Amino acid sequence: MARVRSRSTSLRDLDQGPRRTTPGRRFATAGAVAAAGVLALAPAARAEDQIPTVAAAPANSDSAVSAVKDPLEGFNRGAFKVGMGLDRVLFSPIAHGYLAVTPRVVRNRVSSAVYNLGEPNTVINQVLQGRPKRAMRSTARFVVNSTVGVLGLFDVASKMHLPPREADFGQTFGAWGAGPGAYLYLPGMGPLNVRDGVGRALDIATDPISLYVGGFSTDFGKARTGVTIVDLRAQTDPAFHALEDAADPYVTTRSAYTQYREAFVRQATGEAEDLPDFDTPPPPPATPKP
Amino acid sequence: MTSPGNPMKNILPTRRGANAALLAFFGASALAVASPALAQARDPGAEAFVQTKAQRVITVLANKSMSDAQKTQVFHQAVDELADVPRITNFVLGKYARTITPDQRARFTPVFRTYAENVYQSRIDDYRGEQLKVTGSVVRKPGDVIVNTTISGGQITTPLPVSWRVLGGGQTWKVVDVQFKGIWLAITQQQDFVSTIDNAGGNIDVLINQLQKGGSGSPGRR
């Protein structure tokens, strides 16, 4: 899983990862993500993205991990079904074609370039999170990779001890203390929660590259959107395969997305993870849903 | 854990309007930045266990000279050394661990074992890494430790963080969960299984039958 850049995860490596969308790319990228809604399943991380798994003793077995608010489950399940259907007929074939005709080294370069275009947004959020050193490093990464790294195709900065540290508005809100709110699955947007949905909208609206270089109305914006979608879907392909193993893919997606995003927020806060007690099952159900 | 702060002071001028709206939305006065968690003790015994046993599993899966059938067979054997299968089997049932009948448990146990081996092998194999390196551990409480590792080599271009939750003590440890990118596999499975049983009106047999078929087989099926 590559590191999760555009608020999604990828299950494999990766020195690259889908990145935040630009204003212009919003719909297309959203479609990809949606189709894939599973982005949350594909982990992909770098060593420097080590998630704080420090775990304090839980108060009880019903940890924050399992306490997902999903008041719109009926709607969300329908949207999930639509999203997965869209993926099967459109995004999956495109991604598999891309995977079939391009060697890994080429895909890695593409992913690096896509990630690099999202770096300015990362800087903004690191500043907002009160992380000036990280913001400086991300700024340096962007300058180095955009020049020496040939428009971001090569992550030269990592070899200069400037590892990637992503950040987005959803994480920033979490670092400021905002809870995730209700879980949402939106066709065209994929798995979300209220906090990350607002965050994603801001990521799109304030993306510096789109604002200062070109949004979807430009050829650059259109190309960026298309490449980002294909790169994102290709990177998250293992997550889609993982979903096939699930008894309830909707809940598996919800669980994975929620865990991933909370872990991402903990990267910013350093807070301990509240894990369930492994040997104490929750109380038996009062009345199972029919 | 938190300390009050003024997030506005760091906002870039060009983002002032948007961020002011954000702050208003969430209630800026309540926002705070959490301080880092306190340092916690490491457990050398748990770390050594993961280094040895998890490395063995990864080595097997990365072995290009072995057939898939051979890997599956060796993985099956290695699971008993690495993981506490009975504990995991009970955990993934969640609240239904208290209500499952002996007959259902007898049928669920072997079905879950086969299912879980396939899933875990697939997830670990997704990375195709070759070397595992322990980077630290955190003692949640005595006998309950999170061992942090990175996997590298093979197809992994940048070390991949993977955490292992191990229970035990002294020289006797067993893995009960694995975390990739913040996602714990057993916790995810528990939520998957409990939801499936919930939606079947509490009938655990429905889950057993579904696992025998190898999951949903289709992400959008439900």
Side-chain angles (χ1 to χ4, degrees):
Chain A
M1 309 178 185
R3 68 234 198 129
V4 181
R5 277 242 132 185
S6 49
R7 305 125 205 101
S8 52
T9 55
S10 77
L11 285 171
R12 285 182 196 245
D13 132 316
L14 339 190
D15 78 322
Q16 53 290 331
R19 210 20 198 153
R20 41 208 100 267
T21 56
T22 68
R25 304 177 307 143
R26 72 189 71 167
F27 298 114
T29 301
V33 176
V38 215
L39 302 180
L41 290 184
R46 297 170 184 255
E48 60 279 11
D49 283 342
Q50 183 75 55
I51 292 160
T53 50
V54 185
N60 55 54
S61 59
D62 186 21
S63 74
V65 164
S66 59
V68 181
K69 297 176 186 173
D70 191 2
L72 302 175
E73 182 171 342
F75 166 82
N76 287 338
R77 280 186 180 273
F80 179 74
K81 195 169 183 177
V82 170
M84 291 301 101
L86 185 62
D87 181 75
R88 270 196 301 277
V89 301
L90 181 60
F91 295 107
S92 178
I94 292 174
H96 288 152
Y98 172 65
L99 290 168
V101 302
T102 56
R104 176 177 296 274
V105 64
V106 171
R107 297 198 299 271
N108 287 349
R109 299 288 69 76
V110 171
S111 295
S112 290
V114 170
Y115 184 93
N116 187 60
L117 292 174
E119 202 86 75
N121 192 41
T122 290
V123 173
I124 291 172
N125 281 282
Q126 288 168 333
V127 170
L128 293 174
Q129 292 172 19
R131 299 275 192 172
K133 289 183 180 178
R134 287 188 182 183
M136 291 284 288
R137 293 191 189 104
S138 294
T139 300
R141 279 181 51 79
F142 182 68
V143 172
V144 170
N145 286 339
S146 298
T147 53
V148 182
V150 192
L151 299 178
L153 290 172
F154 298 90
D155 187 1
V156 180
S158 282
K159 296 178 173 56
M160 298 169 63
H161 304 291
L162 290 170
R165 294 295 297 260
E166 66 176 322
D168 60 28
F169 275 100
Q171 184 192 53
T172 298
F173 294 150
W176 286 351
Y183 176 77
L184 299 169
Y185 189 99
L186 302 177
M189 294 298 286
L192 282 172
N193 53 50
V194 173
R195 179 190 64 202
D196 295 336
V198 174
R200 190 178 298 180
L202 274 174
D203 287 327
I204 293 171
T206 66
D207 178 68
I209 296 295
S210 280
L211 293 175
Y212 300 116
V213 180
F216 193 69
S217 61
T218 66
D219 289 343
F220 166 78
K222 292 184 175 78
R224 181 187 177 190
T225 300
V227 171
T228 299
I229 292 172
V230 174
D231 174 64
L232 174 59
R233 179 57 182 81
Q235 284 200 67
T236 54
D237 198 51
F240 284 86
H241 289 304
L243 270 190
E244 295 176 2
D245 294 326
D248 186 339
Y250 170 79
V251 167
T252 296
T253 300
R254 185 180 70 189
S255 174
Y257 176 78
T258 301
Q259 291 182 64
Y260 166 69
R261 288 301 298 183
E262 291 310 300
F264 189 50
V265 170
R266 289 197 301 277
Q267 286 181 11
T269 65
E271 285 187 322
E273 181 176 10
D274 180 16
L275 290 174
D277 187 345
F278 214 86
D279 291 327
T280 306
T287 47
K289 285 191 292 186
Chain B
M1 287 295 290
T2 61
S3 60
N6 178 10
M8 288 299 289
K9 67 183 177 184
N10 291 321
I11 296 175
L12 294 175
T14 55
R15 305 280 169 267
R16 191 167 296 154
N19 291 313
L22 286 177
L23 291 176
F25 182 84
F26 285 102
S29 61
L31 300 179
V33 178
S35 62
L38 297 176
Q40 297 183 35
R42 295 174 64 161
D43 190 310
E47 292 182 15
F49 170 78
V50 170
Q51 180 65 68
T52 302
K53 302 301 183 183
Q55 176 64 70
R56 184 190 169 203
V57 168
I58 290 169
T59 299
V60 168
L61 296 180
N63 188 338
K64 296 182 176 64
S65 65
M66 292 177 69
S67 67
D68 288 345
Q70 287 175 311
K71 288 181 182 179
T72 299
Q73 183 178 7
V74 175
F75 186 77
H76 175 79
Q77 297 167 348
V79 164
D80 283 322
E81 296 180 16
L82 178 68
D84 191 333
V85 178
R87 250 174 168 163
I88 298 171
T89 304
N90 197 62
F91 177 77
V92 296
L93 286 168
K95 59 190 178 185
Y96 291 104
R98 296 183 185 275
T99 60
I100 189 171
T101 67
D103 174 63
Q104 286 174 322
R105 187 179 288 276
R107 287 186 286 117
F108 177 73
T109 299
V111 168
F112 173 69
R113 166 86 188 221
T114 301
Y115 169 83
E117 282 184 12
N118 290 337
V119 169
Y120 280 63
Q121 182 176 343
S122 295
R123 296 296 82 74
I124 295 173
D125 200 34
D126 277 342
Y127 299 93
R128 298 175 191 264
E130 294 175 344
Q131 291 92 38
L132 179 141
K133 179 183 178 183
V134 171
T135 58
S137 62
V138 176
V139 179
R140 298 183 66 247
K141 59 183 180 181
D144 189 346
V145 181
I146 306 297
V147 177
N148 297 317
T149 69
T150 57
I151 298 177
S152 58
Q155 295 187 13
I156 298 177
T157 56
T158 304
L160 174 72
V162 178
S163 295
W164 310 74
R165 187 175 181 183
V166 295
L167 304 182
Q171 301 302 310
T172 306
W173 295 92
K174 285 293 176 68
V175 171
V176 295
D177 207 350
V178 185
Q179 184 192 52
F180 299 92
K181 196 62 181 179
I183 301 168
W184 291 102
L185 293 186
I187 289 175
T188 305
Q189 281 185 332
Q190 184 194 68
Q191 295 181 9
D192 180 14
F193 292 179
V194 168
S195 172
T196 299
I197 299 171
D198 279 349
N199 289 330
N203 186 352
I204 299 175
D205 290 332
V206 170
L207 173 66
I208 296 173
N209 293 337
Q210 192 148 334
L211 295 187
Q212 281 179 319
K213 293 187 294 185
S216 71
S218 172
R221 192 179 62 82
R222 300 174 74 91

